[in-house]
Amino acid sequence: MQILMEASFKAQRESVEREQAERQERIDMLARAVAGARAPRDSAAAAAHERTYATLLEYIAVSGGLELALSDEVAREEVRAALDSVFPLSSLVRFLTLGEQERLAQVEELARITVGICLFNRAVGRGGYALPQGAASYLPQAHRLQRDMERLRGELAGEVAGCAALQRRAAPRPARDGSGRLEDDPASAAQRERAQAEAVHKAVALAACEGLAADLGAGLDAVGALEAELGHMQLAAQEAVGGASAVPKEVVMPLFERMGAIHSALHEELRLLVVRQRLYDELAGLSGGYVTLLQRGAKARRPGRKTPAEEELAALAAQEASWPPNQPPPALSGEAEFVEGPAASSSGSVQRDSASGAPSAATAAAAAYVSSLALAGFDAVLLVQAGQLRRVVPKLGGVRYKGEVYGFAEPASLAAFASDPGAAVAAVDAVIQRQPVLARLLARWGSYPVLDTNAVLAALSAPLKVDFGCQTPVHFVERNIDHKYEWNEWALRRGAPA
C-alpha cells in the first residue's frame, strides 16, 4: 500500500506540475506577445491596437483565473469593462513607448488590479459573473471531504485497535497445571499472525489518511485567513470609493491589486482541493478489498452478543479508565526524562463541542500530543513484545529519550521502557529490520535509506538501462569449409551415374 499511495501522490504531483507548467507557458507567451508588440503605423494603428488589447485581455483572463471570459461573451465584456476603467484602449499608445521589462511589470500589475475590480463589483452587487465562486464553493467541498476523511480515519483507527485486541485475546495463556509455562496452539498463532498483518495494512492507511487530513486542515486554515483578508480589503475599498464618482488611483489601486493577488491564491487552493479529493478516493479504495477478521467476527456474532474484539476492547477501556494520569514510572534511566501528557484524554475517544460539532479542545490537545510523539504515536514495548500496533494513551505521559518523546498504551509499557530506553529502541529497530514495511509507518525510514519508498518509486519509474554491444573480429581467418561435403561412401555411390 505504501508503494501504491506514494505512486498516487507522485502521479498527482506530476499532473499538477504539468498543468501548472502548461498554464504558465501560455501566460508567458501572452505576456511576451503584449510586451513585445511594436508601435503600428498610422494606417493600421486602430486594428493593431485592438489586437494587442485583446491579447492583454486574454492574458488577464488566464493569469487571473477568469477562464470563463474566454468562452462567454457576457463574462468577457465584464472583464473588459474592468480593464477599461483602469487601462483604456487609448493608453496603449503610451504603453508601447515603454521598454519590454517595464511593460511586463505593468501587465502583471494590471492583471491583479483588473481581478480586484471584478471582485469589488461582485461585493457591491454590480457584477462578478466572470469570477469563480472561490471560498463560496471551496468551503462546502472542503468540509465535506474533511468529514469523509474523519469518518475513514475513525474506521481505520477502530480496525487497528480491533486487530490489536484480537492479538491480545489470542496470546499464549499460562498452563492450567501451574507450571508457569505458556500454552499456545496453531490456530491462535495463525490468528495473531493474520491480525498483525491486517493491523499493519490498516495502520499504513491510517497514517496516510491522517497526513491527508492534516494537509486539508492546513488548506482550510489558509483559505480562512485569505478570505478574512479579502473581506477586509473589500470593506476598505468600499469605504474609499463610497458614493464618489472619481477616486484617486493611489488610494484604491493598491487595494484592488491586493484583492487580485488573494484571489489567485484562493484559486490555487481550489485546484489543490481537487487533488486531495482524488488522493482520498484512491486511499479509500486501497484500504479495503478483502474480508477482515473483524468482519468475520461480526458475521458470526450471535444476536445480543459482542464479538471477541469488542469484548477485549471493552475490557481495555475499563482498565484505561482506572489508570491515574501522569504517574511517573518507578524506575527511570539516567538518560530518560518523564514528560506529562494531556491529563483529560483517553485513547480513541473523540469529544465534540455541543455547539459547533467540532472536536473539543481536550481532543485536539490529545491529537496534537500523539502526532508529536516518536514512532507515529505507537507503543514501542507492545510492538516488540507482542507485535501489537496500539496507539498510546496520552494521559499516561511519555518518556523523552535522545530528543524524542515516546508514548505508551499501558503503564507496564511505560515502566519497561523507562528502565532501559536504549534496549527498547534497539528492539524496535530489530523489528523494523524483520518487517521493513514498518519503517515508514513508524517514521523510522530515515535510519534506513534503502527502505525509502521514494527511492523505490524512482527506480521503478526511471527508464530501464542495460549494457548492449556487438563484437567485430579484428583478424579474419579463412576456414575453407565445404558445407556440401559428403563423407558417407554409400551415399556417394547412390549419387554416382549408372
Side-chain angles (χ1 to χ4, degrees):
M1 175 180 281
Q2 290 179 355
I3 296 295
L4 292 176
M5 280 306 301
E6 288 295 335
S8 298
F9 276 107
K10 183 174 182 294
Q12 293 298 331
R13 182 174 63 250
E14 290 177 350
S15 176
V16 171
E17 291 174 352
R18 182 168 57 252
E19 182 179 329
Q20 290 178 342
E22 293 174 355
R23 180 169 173 267
Q24 190 60 45
E25 183 179 359
R26 185 180 180 187
I27 291 173
D28 293 342
M29 180 188 68
L30 293 171
R32 289 193 301 269
V34 175
R38 297 183 179 181
R41 299 178 180 178
D42 294 340
S43 58
H49 285 165
E50 188 62 39
R51 288 194 299 270
T52 304
Y53 202 76
T55 305
L56 175 60
L57 187 65
E58 184 179 358
Y59 167 81
I60 292 172
V62 175
S63 63
L66 309 177
E67 285 84 357
L68 184 60
L70 300 176
S71 57
D72 189 276
E73 190 63 29
V74 176
R76 182 180 181 84
E77 289 302 321
E78 181 181 332
V79 177
R80 178 164 183 140
L83 175 61
D84 192 66
S85 65
V86 64
F87 188 80
L89 182 60
S90 58
S91 301
L92 271 178
V93 178
R94 181 181 177 279
F95 176 80
L96 294 176
T97 62
L98 302 176
E100 185 173 349
Q101 294 301 322
E102 192 172 356
R103 289 189 201 178
L104 285 173
Q106 287 200 9
V107 162
E108 294 175 359
E109 184 181 358
L110 271 175
R112 293 190 292 268
I113 292 175
T114 303
V115 174
I117 292 174
C118 292
L119 289 167
F120 175 79
N121 291 336
R122 184 175 67 180
V124 298
R126 294 183 300 191
Y129 177 72
L131 290 165
Q133 292 299 316
S137 63
Y138 177 90
L139 292 177
Q141 298 178 45
H143 284 135
R144 183 173 62 253
L145 179 58
Q146 191 177 43
R147 289 192 298 270
D148 292 342
M149 286 185 180
E150 186 175 346
R151 175 188 53 77
L152 179 61
R153 181 201 167 279
E155 293 176 358
L156 293 172
E159 290 176 342
V160 172
C163 289
L166 289 177
Q167 289 177 270
R168 179 186 174 97
R169 194 176 185 87
R173 303 293 180 181
R176 296 180 179 180
D177 56 7
S179 62
R181 61 185 180 86
L182 298 177
E183 290 183 344
D184 197 6
D185 59 273
S188 298
Q191 185 179 22
R192 289 198 306 272
E193 184 178 356
R194 174 62 186 265
Q196 205 266 347
E198 289 186 10
V200 171
H201 180 261
K202 298 299 182 180
V204 169
L206 175 60
C209 185
E210 289 175 341
L212 273 178
D215 183 64
L216 178 61
L220 278 168
D221 293 340
V223 168
L226 290 171
E227 189 67 15
E229 185 179 359
L230 180 60
H232 175 72
M233 290 294 170
Q234 288 175 344
L235 289 176
Q238 291 179 25
E239 292 177 0
V241 174
S245 58
V247 183
K249 290 185 177 181
E250 61 271 12
V251 176
V252 295
M253 291 306 171
L255 298 175
F256 290 153
E257 184 177 1
R258 181 56 186 163
M259 288 164 62
I262 294 173
H263 170 78
S264 297
L266 287 171
H267 193 59
E268 288 302 317
E269 277 297 327
L270 187 59
R271 294 174 184 270
L272 290 177
L273 178 62
V274 176
V275 176
R276 295 183 182 113
Q277 181 68 57
R278 294 173 185 168
L279 291 173
Y280 167 77
D281 294 339
E282 187 77 17
L283 175 61
L286 290 174
S287 60
Y290 60 94
V291 179
T292 65
L293 290 175
L294 297 177
Q295 292 171 343
R296 291 179 185 175
K299 290 181 179 180
R301 176 177 51 187
R302 296 179 182 178
R305 297 284 300 274
K306 293 182 178 181
T307 64
E310 291 173 345
E311 292 176 354
E312 194 68 29
L313 288 174
L316 287 173
Q319 290 181 7
E320 181 182 324
S322 65
W323 295 334
N326 293 315
Q327 189 72 26
L332 192 62
S333 172
E335 301 179 85
E337 175 189 358
F338 180 72
V339 178
E340 292 189 355
S345 62
S346 60
S347 63
S349 63
V350 180
Q351 303 170 359
R352 298 188 178 277
D353 185 82
S354 57
S356 63
S360 64
T363 299
Y369 172 78
V370 172
S371 64
S372 66
L373 296 176
L375 302 181
F378 289 100
D379 189 316
V381 176
L382 287 177
L383 173 64
V384 173
Q385 294 181 353
Q388 298 177 16
L389 283 170
R390 282 179 58 187
R391 277 285 168 85
V392 306
V393 177
K395 72 174 185 179
L396 292 179
V399 173
R400 179 178 285 109
Y401 176 69
K402 291 187 177 181
E404 292 185 305
V405 179
Y406 295 83
F408 308 96
E410 294 180 355
S413 299
L414 171 60
F417 186 94
S419 62
D420 194 353
V425 174
V428 171
D429 289 334
V431 172
I432 292 175
Q433 291 176 4
R434 292 195 301 270
Q435 294 180 283
V437 71
L438 295 173
R440 189 170 185 84
L441 172 61
L442 302 178
R444 299 284 290 179
W445 57 273
S447 304
Y448 305 94
V450 70
L451 301 179
D452 186 7
T453 52
N454 293 323
V456 175
L457 280 178
L460 292 175
S461 59
L464 180 63
K465 297 181 179 180
V466 296
D467 293 332
F468 177 78
C470 59
Q471 295 182 350
T472 302
V474 179
H475 304 287
F476 293 91
V477 179
E478 294 186 8
R479 297 179 181 271
N480 298 321
I481 297 177
D482 184 4
H483 296 283
K484 296 182 179 180
Y485 173 76
E486 179 57 61
W487 58 273
N488 192 303
E489 179 181 356
W490 294 102
L492 290 174
R493 287 184 177 185
R494 285 194 297 269

